[in-house]
Amino acid sequence: MARDKDIVLEVKNLYKLYGVNRNAAMELLKKGAGRSEVLKQTGVTAAVNNVSFEVERGKIFVLIGLSGSGKSTVVRCINMLQNPTAGSILFEGQDVRKLKKKELLDFRRHKVSMVFQNYGLMSHRDVLGNVAYGLEVRGVPREEREARAHEIIDMVGLSGWEKKNPSELSGGMRQRVGIARALANDPDVLLMDEPFSALDPLVRRDMQFELLTIQRKMNKTILFITHDIDEAFKLGDRIGIMRDGQLIQVGTAEEMTSNPADEYVRDFIDSADRSRVFCAKNVMETPSSLIRVSDGATKALSAMRRSGVSSSYVIDEKMVLVGILTLEDAMKAKAENTPIAQYIIQDIERVAPDALLADIMPQAARTRFPLAVVDSEGHLEGIISKAAVLSSLT
Amino acid sequence: MPNWIASFPDTIKINIATPIDNFVEYINVNWRPFFDGIKTGLLGLLNGVYAVVEFIPWWLLIAIVFALTWLLMKKPLRAVLYAVLMLLIGILGLWSYMQLTLSIVIAAVLMAIIIGFPIGVLVSTSNHANALVRPILDTMQTMPSFVYLIPAVMLLGIGNVPAIIATTIYAIPPVIRMTNHGIRHVDKEVVEAAQSFGSTRWQTLVKVQIPQAMPTIMAGLNQTIMMALSMVVTCSLIGARGLGHEVVIGINRLEIGRGFTAGLCVVILAVIIDRLTQGIYKTEAGDDHGKG
Ligand SMILES: Nc1ncnc2c1ncn2[C@@H]1O[C@H](COP(=O)(O)OP(=O)(O)OP(=O)(O)O)[C@@H](O)[C@H]1O
Ligand SMILES: [Mg+2]
């Protein structure tokens, strides 16, 4: 199969076992035994059990799973904070496990940076000193690294706080420092282990938004860990679900929702607040009848009768939405023998294709017609009935 | 009734005192140059420290104590109290004795840091070293302080220099222990963060672990200083001069007043040094509570 995707990071058959009797445990795992069975028979914890996935450049890959499912262990193997028991971790084709000591240091200094759940900031350094740390160990001269740190601090919205101690900052601000510190190195890949889990929900939303902004601006590849399905769906271009050390399913949010691999995945997805996951284009349907402005009343009436609807959207020659025509109005127009144009209701609710369901719900409740999904040029892309909005949430 | 039931049988007896004596004798003869070297070095150190301490005029030292107390503890009244107490040492006529005692303490503490800190760091990085050193420290801390006088006297004779040795050995455990403890208990995530950015072991140690452990290390240093001060007084038994010597004279000649006066000055010195060093590490720890 030809590779048209640009894969930065590839994890292949990764295993990480904790315990003494690892060889025996490995045998069992290869025979298909589960984590609890292996633990019972050999006393070995299979933290990561045969995990493989790929991360595309410039994308956000999210690993999600319950506590203890092995997410942290996977990311910590990627920068070798933990030494895998078996398998390979290919960074741009090079196996990280085969790096020599010096090469590993270089890999950590230039290629990957990590953001920690509890920030991992150094309380004996101010914000500037923390952000510049990565460059400092790399040997970048003071002036240069501080200039760079200032730049990044600015970008994460912390200018003016450079001289503060991390302990003087709020949680959200601390994690901004953590992110700035990771970005200062200009790494290819950002590893983020539940970076927002310690933040309260409002701050968390801001940070997610900001991360997306930063990611688009700097085009970073991110491996993001969370146990929150909403966060995963919001951030992840692709998502991997882990259970008991295994990666059960990998796919986009839509793929996963429409086709969950098993009950565990389904449960996870069910726990999501779908209104924050789905957007208009996920639930819209093609209108069963469409009328052109140039059509006569008779043609409009027959189109509506054919599809059994009491109203229909009207578009112009370029597919741009003009408005809506009801069955009654069409009959009036026919009786008066006038063009339908003057009966078209133009004041209707329009939504963008990527509007979140949560945001369009009030509009859906307000209108007596289905919502029209239009792109930025006003082309009609689809419609959403009130029923569709509600049913997509359950 | 056989005799050996009532009292321990004479026939089972091992004499370890003689071999130890022999060993010391052997070292004394064959390692003479080595110990002479140590003696010269320590004497140099002590003279250096004493020169500095003596150079500071009495009013300046009192001013320093006053200023430090104010700065570190933010308690003006406390500062006045300590200044008055220092003044009292002078009024009681023991200023120069206090200077000497202080010098010996400083010399011994310097030695304890120079030797103990690297050991503490080493022990923190190796579980084997820790397993080896820990029981030694435990033993050292339960040993009566007089015991340290014996090897010091044996190898270096009497006077201020063996006092420094005995004091250093007696006071070294807290520095080692707390350095070890402090470094081992640095927030794991912070250390991992340092590693994840490609720090070498040395960089991690110097740029992260030691600075993060500093409050704990300072607490250890405070203990070491206090132990050194008490040991310096004990060391007057092997001829160390200073306040302790005055106490010993007081005991020997049954001059209770003289002994008491010197004892009082030791207490004053101890309290002030204790509070000041505590003030240093507490403000340091206070600045970065709740590790970022
Ligand atoms: N040093 C260790 N020794 C033994 N077992 C370990 C060790 N580290 C992790 N484990 C085990 O490995 C499994 C996976 O742990 P891991 O931290 O990767 O999970 P996680 O998915 O990140 O969970 P969480 O959401 O709680 O962070 C757990 O069962 C854990 O108990
Ligand atoms: Mg984890």
Side-chain angles (χ1 to χ4, degrees), chain B residues 143-156:
Chain B
M143 195 89 87
S145 54
F146 309 111
V147 177
Y148 295 104
L149 300 178
I150 304 167
V153 172
M154 287 290 188
L155 300 172
L156 297 165

Side-chain angles (χ1 to χ4, degrees), chain A residues 130-298:
Chain A
N130 268 284
V131 175
Y133 183 83
L135 297 170
E136 185 180 324
V137 293
R138 210 197 260 185
V140 176
R142 168 167 238 125
E143 222 159 276
E144 196 181 326
R145 68 177 188 245
E146 291 193 343
R148 169 82 180 144
H150 275 294
E151 236 170 73
I152 300 283
I153 290 173
D154 221 30
M155 200 183 75
V156 299
L158 281 181
S159 33
W161 295 83
E162 288 90 345
K163 292 287 160 212
K164 298 273 190 232
N165 190 278
S167 60
E168 297 171 72
L169 273 53
S170 70
M173 292 166 91
R174 288 186 202 182
Q175 196 55 295
R176 278 168 210 262
V177 178
I179 292 173
R181 179 173 65 176
L183 288 173
N185 270 17
D186 198 22
D188 293 359
V189 175
L190 225 52
L191 305 174
M192 308 183 84
D193 190 351
E194 303 202 26
F196 305 146
S197 297
L199 304 176
D200 65 56
L202 278 179
V203 179
R204 195 166 173 169
R205 282 241 292 281
D206 283 352
M207 295 293 288
Q208 290 165 346
F209 177 75
E210 203 145 329
L211 181 67
L212 284 174
T213 317
I214 290 172
Q215 196 263 344
R216 279 182 199 137
K217 188 150 69 187
M218 303 182 79
N219 200 27
K220 292 288 176 215
T221 310
I222 299 178
L223 180 53
F224 190 101
I225 293 193
T226 180
H227 56 244
D228 175 0
I229 187 81
D230 292 329
E231 191 166 70
F233 280 175
K234 190 167 191 176
L235 298 177
D237 293 306
R238 286 163 71 71
I239 297 158
I241 295 204
M242 287 193 71
R243 179 185 57 197
D244 292 348
Q246 286 177 305
L247 191 59
I248 301 177
Q249 187 174 10
V250 179
T252 63
E254 283 87 19
E255 282 166 11
M256 232 168 235
T257 325
S258 50
N259 195 8
D262 62 10
E263 274 310 303
Y264 178 82
V265 178
R266 197 192 308 276
D267 283 349
F268 238 111
I269 289 165
D270 284 348
S271 69
D273 179 357
R274 288 165 178 242
S275 67
R276 305 217 155 272
V277 174
F278 289 109
C279 42
K281 67 168 181 268
N282 300 130
V283 297
M284 71 187 183
E285 29 197 331
T286 6
S288 48
S289 80
L290 268 183
I291 304 170
R292 287 178 187 275
V293 208
S294 52
D295 288 346
T298 319

Side-chain angles (χ1 to χ4, degrees), chain A residues 34 39 88 127 156 197 204 234 301 343:
Chain A
L39 182 62
S88 47
V127 169
V156 299
S197 297
R204 195 166 173 169
K234 190 167 191 176
L301 271 175
Y343 287 105

